[in-house]
Amino acid sequence: MRSLWKLATSPASLAVLSVAVVITAALVGYTYKKPTRQASLFHRLWTTDEIVLYNGTDEGTPILLGILGSVFDVTKGRSHYGPGGVTITSQGARIFLGLDFRDASRAFVSGNFTGDGLTDSLRGLSSVEMKSVVDWRGFYMRTYVFVGKLIGRYYDNSGNPTKYLKGVEAKAARGAQLLEKQKLEEDKLPSCNSKWSERDGGEVWCDSGYPRLVQRPFEIALTGRMSKRCVCFKEEELQRPGLEVYKGCDHLSKSCPV
């Protein structure tokens, strides 16, 4: 027994015991720290009733935002997404956030982040507008932390994408293809130079050729609306059909007020 006691109380044994105590304490501490507030958010399924609670009004909880059924922790952008926060939409509108963040997919196109504008319905949007929403989702994927999926219009109770989400993504992909085709077509014709100032208004001009308005190809398919752009044409090309002279501009003027 004495030999066992001497062995247990020897310097070498005490050193091993000390190391074991330190390791055990570290493991215990790690066990208690593991289930942090942030870790509990990762890759789960959310309901609308849950996500609206994470709106930044409680500084002790994250701020969550939903777009196309994907949920992101945007807490690091609290100055933009918390109560009284201000951000700028794609249309340049200033909006105040942090009041009721559910899936606000449509608001990323409309710029209306209040009341009825906070909806996940994209009904009636063009393929370009659909593409814009999908691009916003990509921005949040790159910039913030993806924490799961929102059960509802875009994901079912098992977290599988719905037909609605697949339809949105397909329409957005068609929009991207049409935009590329439009760009290739428009690159064939030189665009006018343009400038605008509050004092002088707007002006378009051509360094070579004469400014004319032409219908943008694919625009109706892209946006559901017609729009035109300014193109410079040589004098021998001015008889082409579909060319429109700017109002108040001479037929052979190289610059026109707009």
Side-chain angles (χ1 to χ4, degrees):
M1 183 66 70
R2 288 181 179 179
S3 60
L4 288 174
W5 173 255
K6 287 182 178 180
L7 179 62
T9 57
S10 66
S13 297
L14 291 174
V16 171
L17 181 61
S18 299
V19 172
V21 170
V22 171
I23 292 175
T24 301
L27 289 174
V28 170
Y30 178 75
T31 300
Y32 282 112
K33 293 178 182 178
K34 182 69 172 178
T36 62
R37 172 178 58 82
Q38 291 293 336
S40 65
L41 295 178
F42 285 125
H43 297 258
R44 54 163 289 188
L45 296 178
W46 296 86
T47 65
T48 300
D49 289 340
E50 290 174 326
I51 193 175
V52 296
L53 299 177
Y54 294 87
N55 58 14
T57 55
D58 181 356
E59 293 189 1
T61 59
I63 303 174
L64 301 185
L65 177 145
I67 179 170
L68 292 179
S70 294
V71 183
F72 300 95
D73 182 348
V74 297
T75 309
K76 71 177 183 179
R78 184 175 291 274
S79 61
H80 296 292
Y81 301 103
V86 180
T87 192
I88 308 298
T89 70
S90 57
Q91 289 85 14
R94 296 173 66 83
I95 53 176
F96 293 85
L97 308 177
L99 298 178
D100 188 6
F101 258 145
R102 58 198 76 183
D103 189 317
S105 297
R106 193 181 191 90
F108 286 89
V109 173
S110 69
N112 180 10
F113 282 80
T114 61
D116 294 339
L118 287 172
T119 176
D120 61 355
S121 174
L122 302 182
R123 183 181 299 276
L125 295 188
S126 68
S127 58
V128 170
E129 290 169 325
M130 294 278 194
K131 178 183 179 300
S132 177
V133 178
V134 171
D135 288 346
W136 271 111
R137 183 184 62 181
F139 164 79
Y140 281 94
M141 281 288 188
R142 296 189 302 271
T143 309
Y144 294 99
V145 179
F146 172 76
V147 295
K149 301 171 183 176
L150 182 63
I151 297 172
R153 189 184 300 272
Y154 298 104
Y155 290 98
D156 63 21
N157 291 333
S158 299
N160 299 312
T162 63
K163 291 182 179 179
Y164 194 91
L165 177 59
K166 293 177 181 178
V168 167
E169 292 175 334
K171 191 170 182 178
R174 289 195 298 272
Q177 293 173 349
L178 287 172
L179 281 173
E180 183 61 26
K181 289 182 179 179
Q182 178 168 271
K183 182 179 183 303
L184 291 174
E185 286 297 315
E186 291 186 352
D187 285 346
K188 297 176 182 178
L189 299 172
S191 297
C192 305
N193 303 300
S194 64
K195 66 179 181 180
W196 184 90
S197 70
E198 188 172 355
R199 186 189 68 180
D200 301 325
E203 179 186 7
V204 295
W205 74 95
C206 296
D207 295 324
S208 176
Y210 305 92
R212 292 293 187 270
L213 283 168
V214 297
Q215 174 67 43
R216 302 189 71 184
F218 307 108
E219 191 68 12
I220 294 180
L222 283 166
T223 67
R225 298 181 296 270
M226 294 179 61
S227 70
K228 300 177 181 180
R229 72 182 185 109
C230 184
V231 174
C232 295
F233 288 94
K234 298 177 181 178
E235 186 172 357
E236 59 270 23
E237 298 174 320
L238 296 180
Q239 300 306 315
R240 291 174 54 169
L243 305 189
E244 180 182 338
V245 180
Y246 277 90
K247 292 182 179 179
C249 190
D250 292 337
H251 184 72
L252 292 180
S253 176
K254 286 186 172 291
S255 65
C256 299
V258 293

